[in-house]
Amino acid sequence: MNGTRSPSPPAAAGRSIDIELGGQEVITVDLDNLDPNPDDLLELLRDQQCNVWIWTRLGAEYWRGGYLDAAEQIAQTAIESLQANGSIASLPPVYSLLANIQIARASKAPKLVLQDPREDFMISEKPRDEYNRDAAQYFNLAEKAASETGVIGTMLAVLTRGLLQMGTRAMDDALRLYDGVLVDKPSNIVAQLGKAKILYARRQFPQALKLFQNVLRLSPRCVPDPRIGIGLCLWAMDYKAKAKAAWQRSVEVNPSEWSAQLLLGLEALNASRNEKQTEEQRTHEIIVGSQLVQRAFNANQRNSAAANALCELLLQKGQHRKALKLAERTIQFADVKTILTDGYTRAGRVLHAQGAVAEATKYYTKAKDTQSVPNVLATVGLAQMQLKNDETAAAIHTLDTLLQQTSNNRSVEATVMLASLRSHPRPGISSADRVVDKVRARELFDYACKILGLFEDNANNGQSQQKLSRAARKIGEDMDMHAEIARLWQGESLERMERALREASKISEASGKTDPRLVNNLAVLQHLEGNLGAARTMYEAALTHASGLETTVAEGMSTSILYNLARVYEEQNEETMAKGAYDKLLDRHPEYVDAKLRQAQMLVDLNRHNEAHDLLKQALSSQQGNLNLRAFYTHFLIQAGLPKPAKDFVFATLKDHDKHDVYSLCAAGWIQYHQARESRDTSQKGVEERRRGFQRSAEFYEKALHLDPLCAVAAQGLAIVTAEDALGNLGGSIGPHTPDEAQKRIKNARDALDVFAKVRESLNDGSVYFNMGHCYYARDEFDRAIESYETASRRFYDGHNVPTLLCLCRSWYAKANKDQSYIAMNTALQYAQRAYHLQPVDKAILYNIAMIQQKAAEMLISIAPAKRTLKNLQRAIEQAGHAQKLFASLAADKSPMVPYSRDMADQRRKYGDSMLRRCDEHLSTQKQWEAETQAKLDAARQKRQEEKDRVEALERDRMEELRVQAEKLAEERRLAREQALEWTREVKMESDEERERKEKKKSSRKVKVEGSGDEAGAEPKKKRRGKLKKTNGAAGEGDDALFSGEEEQDKPARKRTKKRVVRDDDDDEEAAGAPRKKQIKSKEYISDSDEEMS
């Protein structure tokens, strides 16, 4: 075609056949107007005992006109007539005709007859394989008859065999047969068409195209139209415009043929999916495509491709009954696995839409198993049917298998569906399997998001979106998918959770109906991250969106959102607004316990414990079994300093409500440990009771861990018990000291640290780092203890937790004593002062401050002068004086109970007095030592400066000398350049003189030839020697050049050498020059000059 349309073939002339009767009478049969009933014609043919070619011609014409039954009747009558006449040798063409008629019937017969169809009943139809068997039987009869007559291998028989082999999918045999035909007759159209079809099926499109084009050149009106094959090959080779032109030309030539119309319809439907077109263009393409497909199906209702295409159109329109009939028609007439798979899939989709789960499952399974290539749509449909039957595990297995088969190119739809199934817990799986499913679901969602181009930068995201199909983009715009992703990351990654929720919220806003739940969840994340202003804004926006919903839905959403908003008010210290929000909630729902708890906590913060207690009692009276409420009440009693009521209440919770409540078990363990640790009963009974309390505490913690292996509070409690040797002798507190007490303490601290390290991964709380600091302190690892305390203080307590500050003070104090560091001691003092500023009524902190100040002075006095400074010593002595005042006031304190020993404070004061009396001596010693040290430093500094000045002077002299040498060298180079330029000018002048001398030599050459014989005989010798000298190099020639003759003889030699080196003049000219020795001298001299100039 080459982009142009072939001309329409000329109209065929009128066709007829003459049948001779007895005598000269002839009956003419018009082949273009055959009687559909051939009985009269058959009687005529029998009576006249016509030749076999008349029978076969008439049978073929009836076949051409679509009268297959009449054609078959003619062929059968021909066999009977010929056998009766004894014309057995004429039977092969008739049998071949019958075989071809059966092949034609097979092309219109169903390939597969469904036994239980719903709409398309073909049970009474004869299947295609039976027609092919009948055709084979007729062909065998033809071969047998031909072998009896000795006429075998006719062209008709060979081509019939090829058609049979193609009908039974024996493509290799058919191809060899057609190749054999084309060798004998290259222009055979049937063989060329058959070979072209086989090559097309084998995806050898260029070769097939060439054959189809050749058929078109040989027979422009060939049926089937080769333009169909030409278009198919061009389409497969991505020449879609040319393919469309070929099909359009086919429609013009053969308006009644359905193949080209179907292909043009499919092309229009495909074009309608091009999103670059306008909506009007796409709508036009859909209308045109639908009309062409419908027209093609009406022309041949037994074509599976047309039925398949029309089925999809009707399925999209929701005409399920017609679509199911067409799907069953596709299944029964499909002769290609791809179309058969489509038929099964569409039948499954129709039945799925109609709710016929069992039948839809059957068709989806057949569609999945028909082809070796994974069928994504059928597999996803099968998984949906399995979900309908509550077979979640089977659905997961089905999708898993699909993704494993397509690991290099996974389906986004199947990936997202599998991830969604794995993200939801299902009955019958263990907690470990649930964790694995959760991790796997995250991986699948991450892969899907990567393919969909989500969460990328805008440029990459735009490129990824352009490459995706419309269905894939719809998945990326699925709000529920992003909500599932957020739920998977809940409690583990706030960043990933927030990113997913923001994407879902963006999709929700784009739809015009913002989901208040998404806005609320995003606000909660901002709330947890401490962005209270942003959280407040989002909560208020969520309340606004919720107010626009139906009353039944809006009530539940607004209640939760308003509670969250009240929590933000509370954390922003807007107690009035928070209380108003809680009151509003309680007005709507008087038994809303969470609101009452927060009101009680607000009262506790205002030191109105009695009112808070009354409010909690009210809540307990209405909901005694609320474990969250009971847990808060337990916490309230412990914080209020009521350990005994707290103990009774938590034991009542375990006994009467839930003995497996983890919070109550941990609270009971803490209460037992605290009571045992604070017990001061040193009697035997008291010690036993104390030991029993520790044991019960450990038992409570162990039970909590058994119920919840990830309970960090219980694990931390056990770690504390281990670190303090509570189950042993508590460091000697509840038993005698043992020789290995220090080793045991270090080991217990190490074991506890291992537990705390694991607890830290799940419990984000300052107490974990606080306890780790205790363990490091017990192991004398003061630097790591300080690091843990600092982390707890800065990250969790904002530097306002007094126990943490005191532990930092203790650690720095121990480090200062160990390292004899005044800086560390001063840091310990600063922490103690900060703690006292936060808790000024605690006299134990004041005692510690005095102790640190005195210890700092004691430490500086005890160390050598080289390790201290006068400034630090003076400051320490000043602080020691302040410590004396503190110790005096502490010793004189008349309070009934003080957290220190008055006698110890008085002793410290007396010790300070004696120490301060020696301070003047230490100050004078320090001053003298620092003065001597300063004098030594000054002398060393002066000596160093003198040496530096001497070195600088030497360096200046050296640089001056180098400068002079550089100037001298520069001058020498300048002179050398000037001399080189002078030599260049001389050489140029001598070259001009040499040219004049050569001209004179030419004119007097005859006179020189008549010279003496010795000179004439010596000239060739000199010339030969000159050549040898040239090859030996300049080194051997230089000595001779040093002892050259007169200057008048040197100049010509230099000119010749210059020309020899630069211009490469002829040897004859050189030989005619000066004597050899002068030549060598001049050459060496000029060469040296050239090297200098270069």
Side-chain angles (χ1 to χ4, degrees), residues 392-517:
T392 306
I396 290 176
H397 175 72
T398 299
L399 294 172
D400 259 333
T401 304
L402 172 67
L403 295 184
Q404 289 172 6
Q405 293 173 345
T406 59
S407 56
N408 296 329
N409 186 20
R410 293 180 178 177
S411 163
V412 180
E413 295 87 348
T415 302
V416 171
M417 183 177 178
L418 179 59
S420 179
L421 291 178
R422 286 191 178 276
S423 66
H424 287 81
R426 57 187 188 276
I429 65 170
S430 63
S431 57
D433 290 340
R434 189 176 295 114
V435 172
V436 172
D437 275 354
K438 192 174 182 181
V439 173
R440 180 66 177 144
R442 288 177 188 162
E443 293 174 354
L444 291 169
F445 274 131
D446 287 343
Y447 175 82
C449 291
K450 180 180 178 181
I451 296 300
L452 294 172
L454 301 174
F455 313 133
E456 297 179 357
D457 57 87
N458 293 334
N460 293 336
N461 193 2
Q463 294 176 0
S464 300
Q465 290 288 333
Q466 290 178 359
K467 298 178 182 178
L468 295 174
S469 64
R470 188 184 306 175
R473 288 199 300 274
K474 287 292 183 182
I475 292 176
E477 297 168 0
D478 184 8
M479 182 181 69
D480 293 334
M481 182 190 76
H482 296 286
E484 281 187 355
I485 295 173
R487 185 170 60 252
L488 279 173
W489 288 104
Q490 185 175 357
E492 296 190 32
S493 175
L494 293 180
E495 180 185 357
R496 298 291 297 272
M497 186 178 177
E498 180 179 3
R499 187 168 66 179
L501 285 175
R502 286 194 180 280
E503 191 68 23
S505 179
K506 186 173 25 174
I507 296 170
S508 178
E509 291 175 0
S511 66
K513 296 181 180 179
T514 304
D515 193 331
R517 295 172 297 178

Side-chain angles (χ1 to χ4, degrees), residues 943-1058:
K943 185 177 180 180
R944 222 171 21 249
Q945 184 64 34
E946 291 174 354
E947 179 65 19
K948 182 179 178 181
D949 294 341
R950 186 183 67 81
V951 172
E952 288 178 354
L954 292 174
E955 180 67 18
R956 284 195 298 272
D957 294 341
R958 190 179 69 84
M959 295 301 294
E960 180 64 21
E961 183 179 354
L962 291 175
R963 186 185 66 78
V964 171
Q965 292 177 358
E967 289 178 354
K968 183 179 179 181
L969 180 61
E971 180 64 19
E972 291 176 354
R973 289 178 177 173
R974 185 183 65 78
L975 294 175
R977 283 194 298 270
E978 290 178 356
Q979 185 178 6
L981 290 172
E982 180 65 23
W983 287 343
T984 303
R985 286 193 295 270
E986 291 177 0
V987 169
K988 185 176 180 181
M989 293 172 63
E990 291 171 356
S991 298
D992 295 338
E993 293 175 0
E994 179 68 17
R995 281 195 297 272
E996 294 177 1
R997 290 179 60 186
K998 283 184 180 181
E999 292 175 358
K1000 292 178 180 181
K1001 285 179 183 180
K1002 288 179 181 180
S1003 62
S1004 62
R1005 180 168 296 182
K1006 291 181 179 181
V1007 178
K1008 289 183 181 180
V1009 171
E1010 293 175 357
S1012 64
D1014 294 337
E1015 290 177 356
E1019 185 63 27
K1021 203 169 187 178
K1022 289 181 181 179
K1023 185 174 183 180
R1024 184 170 59 251
R1025 287 173 58 194
K1027 291 183 178 178
L1028 292 173
K1029 289 287 184 175
K1030 179 180 179 182
T1031 58
N1032 287 338
E1037 298 170 355
D1039 295 336
D1040 295 337
L1042 292 175
F1043 302 100
S1044 61
E1046 296 177 357
E1047 186 177 357
E1048 288 80 3
Q1049 295 173 340
D1050 292 344
K1051 289 182 179 179
R1054 283 200 299 270
K1055 287 189 286 184
R1056 286 196 300 273
T1057 305
K1058 181 68 177 178

Side-chain angles (χ1 to χ4, degrees), residues 565-679:
L565 181 60
R567 291 297 303 271
V568 172
Y569 291 152
E570 191 177 342
E571 293 186 28
Q572 288 181 328
N573 297 322
E574 298 185 10
E575 289 83 1
T576 304
M577 297 186 70
K579 186 176 183 303
Y582 290 135
D583 288 340
K584 187 180 295 185
L585 285 171
L586 291 172
D587 289 341
R588 297 181 186 173
H589 308 282
E591 302 304 324
Y592 192 11
V593 173
D594 291 336
K596 287 185 178 181
L597 293 185
R598 296 314 306 168
Q599 283 190 334
Q601 184 60 48
M602 291 175 66
L603 293 173
V604 170
D605 294 340
L606 296 174
N607 290 325
R608 296 163 62 180
H609 291 84
N610 293 333
E611 297 179 34
H613 203 170
D614 294 339
L615 195 60
L616 291 174
K617 286 180 179 179
Q618 292 177 11
L620 281 170
S621 63
S622 61
Q623 296 187 25
Q624 291 187 359
N626 190 319
L627 293 177
N628 288 334
L629 175 58
R630 298 186 73 85
F632 184 86
Y633 188 60
T634 302
H635 173 74
F636 170 79
L637 294 175
I638 292 173
Q639 294 297 317
L642 302 171
K644 190 175 184 307
K647 179 180 178 181
D648 296 339
F649 185 78
V650 76
F651 281 0
T653 301
L654 293 171
K655 180 181 178 181
D656 301 331
H657 297 281
D658 187 359
K659 63 181 180 179
H660 300 303
D661 181 37
V662 176
Y663 181 89
S664 298
L665 289 170
C666 292
W670 185 90
I671 292 171
Q672 288 287 345
Y673 181 82
H674 186 265
Q675 287 185 350
R677 192 174 187 277
E678 298 301 322
S679 175

Side-chain angles (χ1 to χ4, degrees), residues 19-40:
I19 301 175
E20 296 182 0
L21 300 179
Q24 300 297 322
E25 188 177 356
V26 176
I27 295 179
T28 301
V29 180
D30 186 1
L31 299 180
D32 292 325
N33 296 296
L34 292 172
D35 186 0
N37 187 356
D39 291 343
D40 296 339

